[in-house]
Coordinates of all heavy atoms in Angstrom, one line a residue:
Chain N
E52 N -0.2 11.0 35.4 CA -1.5 11.6 35.3 C -1.4 12.8 34.4 O -2.5 13.2 33.8 CB -2.0 11.9 36.7 CG -2.4 10.6 37.5 CD -3.1 10.8 38.8 OE1 -3.3 11.9 39.2 OE2 -3.4 9.7 39.4
R70 N 5.9 -17.1 44.4 CA 5.8 -18.4 45.0 C 4.4 -18.5 45.7 O 4.2 -19.5 46.5 CB 6.9 -18.7 46.0 CG 8.3 -18.7 45.2 CD 9.4 -19.0 46.2 NE 10.3 -19.9 45.5 CZ 11.3 -20.5 46.2 NH1 11.5 -20.3 47.5 NH2 12.1 -21.3 45.6
A84 N 6.9 -1.8 36.3 CA 8.0 -2.1 35.4 C 7.7 -1.5 34.0 O 8.6 -0.8 33.5 CB 8.1 -3.6 35.2
I114 N 19.0 -16.0 35.4 CA 17.9 -15.2 35.1 C 18.3 -13.7 35.0 O 17.5 -12.8 34.6 CB 16.7 -15.3 36.0 CG1 17.0 -14.9 37.4 CG2 16.1 -16.7 35.9 CD1 15.8 -14.9 38.4
V120 N 15.7 -5.5 37.6 CA 15.0 -5.7 38.8 C 14.5 -7.1 39.0 O 14.1 -7.7 38.0 CB 13.8 -4.7 38.9 CG1 13.1 -4.8 40.2 CG2 14.2 -3.3 38.6
K131 N 11.5 -18.7 55.8 CA 12.0 -19.0 54.5 C 12.0 -17.9 53.5 O 13.0 -17.7 52.8 CB 11.0 -20.1 53.9 CG 10.9 -21.4 54.7 CD 12.3 -22.1 54.7 CE 12.2 -23.4 55.5 NZ 13.5 -24.0 55.8
F147 N 27.9 -10.3 40.2 CA 28.3 -9.0 39.8 C 29.8 -8.9 40.1 O 30.6 -8.5 39.2 CB 27.5 -7.9 40.4 CG 28.0 -6.6 40.1 CD1 28.0 -6.0 38.9 CD2 28.5 -5.7 41.2 CE1 28.4 -4.8 38.5 CE2 28.9 -4.4 40.9 CZ 28.9 -4.0 39.6
L178 N -2.5 6.9 54.3 CA -2.7 7.7 55.5 C -2.2 9.2 55.4 O -2.8 10.1 55.8 CB -2.0 7.0 56.7 CG -2.6 5.7 57.2 CD1 -1.9 5.2 58.4 CD2 -4.1 5.9 57.5
M217 N 4.3 1.8 60.9 CA 3.5 2.9 61.4 C 4.0 3.4 62.7 O 3.7 4.6 63.0 CB 2.0 2.4 61.6 CG 1.3 1.8 60.4 SD 1.5 2.6 58.8 CE 0.4 1.7 57.7
H228 N -5.3 -9.2 69.0 CA -5.5 -10.6 68.4 C -5.9 -11.5 69.5 O -5.6 -11.3 70.7 CB -4.3 -11.0 67.7 CG -3.1 -11.1 68.4 ND1 -2.8 -12.1 69.4 CD2 -2.0 -10.3 68.5 CE1 -1.7 -11.8 69.9 NE2 -1.1 -10.8 69.4
P229 N -6.6 -12.6 69.2 CA -6.9 -13.6 70.2 C -5.6 -14.3 70.6 O -4.6 -14.2 69.9 CB -7.8 -14.6 69.4 CG -8.2 -14.0 68.2 CD -7.1 -13.0 67.9
Y232 N -2.5 -16.0 68.4 CA -2.3 -15.4 67.2 C -1.2 -14.3 67.2 O -1.2 -13.4 66.4 CB -3.6 -14.8 66.6 CG -4.6 -15.9 66.2 CD1 -5.4 -16.5 67.1 CD2 -4.6 -16.3 64.9 CE1 -6.3 -17.6 66.7 CE2 -5.5 -17.3 64.4 CZ -6.3 -18.0 65.4 OH -7.1 -19.0 65.0
I267 N -7.8 5.2 63.1 CA -7.7 4.3 61.9 C -7.8 2.8 62.4 O -7.3 2.5 63.5 CB -6.3 4.4 61.3 CG1 -6.0 5.9 60.9 CG2 -6.1 3.5 60.1 CD1 -4.6 6.3 61.3
K299 N -6.7 -28.7 60.0 CA -8.0 -28.9 60.6 C -8.0 -28.3 62.0 O -9.0 -27.6 62.4 CB -8.2 -30.4 60.7 CG -8.7 -31.0 59.3 CD -9.3 -32.4 59.5 CE -9.5 -33.0 58.1 NZ -8.5 -34.0 57.7
M318 N -17.3 -0.1 65.0 CA -16.9 1.1 64.3 C -17.4 2.3 65.2 O -16.7 3.4 65.2 CB -17.4 1.2 62.9 CG -16.7 0.3 61.9 SD -14.9 0.6 61.8 CE -14.9 2.2 60.9
Y328 N -11.3 3.1 57.9 CA -11.2 1.6 57.8 C -10.2 1.3 56.7 O -10.3 1.8 55.6 CB -12.5 1.0 57.5 CG -12.5 -0.4 57.1 CD1 -12.4 -1.5 58.0 CD2 -12.6 -0.8 55.7 CE1 -12.4 -2.8 57.6 CE2 -12.5 -2.1 55.3 CZ -12.4 -3.1 56.3 OH -12.4 -4.4 55.9
G338 N -21.5 -12.0 54.4 CA -22.7 -12.0 53.6 C -22.4 -11.6 52.1 O -23.3 -11.6 51.3
F351 N -17.7 -2.0 55.0 CA -16.8 -2.2 53.8 C -17.3 -1.2 52.7 O -16.5 -0.5 52.1 CB -16.8 -3.6 53.2 CG -15.8 -3.8 52.1 CD1 -14.5 -4.1 52.4 CD2 -16.3 -3.7 50.8 CE1 -13.6 -4.3 51.3 CE2 -15.4 -3.8 49.7 CZ -14.0 -4.2 50.0
Y359 N -10.0 1.3 47.5 CA -9.5 1.2 46.2 C -8.3 2.2 46.0 O -7.3 2.0 45.3 CB -10.5 1.4 45.1 CG -11.5 0.4 45.0 CD1 -11.6 -0.8 45.8 CD2 -12.5 0.4 43.9 CE1 -12.5 -1.7 45.7 CE2 -13.4 -0.6 43.8 CZ -13.4 -1.7 44.6 OH -14.4 -2.7 44.5
A362 N -5.2 1.0 47.5 CA -4.6 0.0 46.6 C -3.9 0.6 45.4 O -2.9 0.1 45.0 CB -5.6 -1.0 46.1
A371 N 8.6 3.6 42.4 CA 9.5 4.4 43.2 C 10.7 3.6 43.7 O 11.8 4.1 43.7 CB 8.8 5.1 44.3
D391 N 11.3 17.5 29.9 CA 11.2 16.9 28.6 C 9.8 16.7 28.1 O 9.5 16.8 26.9 CB 11.9 15.5 28.5 CG 13.4 15.7 28.7 OD1 13.9 16.8 28.6 OD2 14.1 14.6 28.8

Side-chain angles (χ1 to χ4, degrees):
Chain N
E52 290 186 0
R70 296 180 139 192
I114 63 176
V120 181
K131 301 292 177 192
F147 174 64
L178 290 182
M217 307 311 189
H228 56 74
Y232 288 83
I267 306 138
K299 279 192 192 105
M318 285 301 287
Y328 166 82
F351 186 87
Y359 287 7
D391 290 349

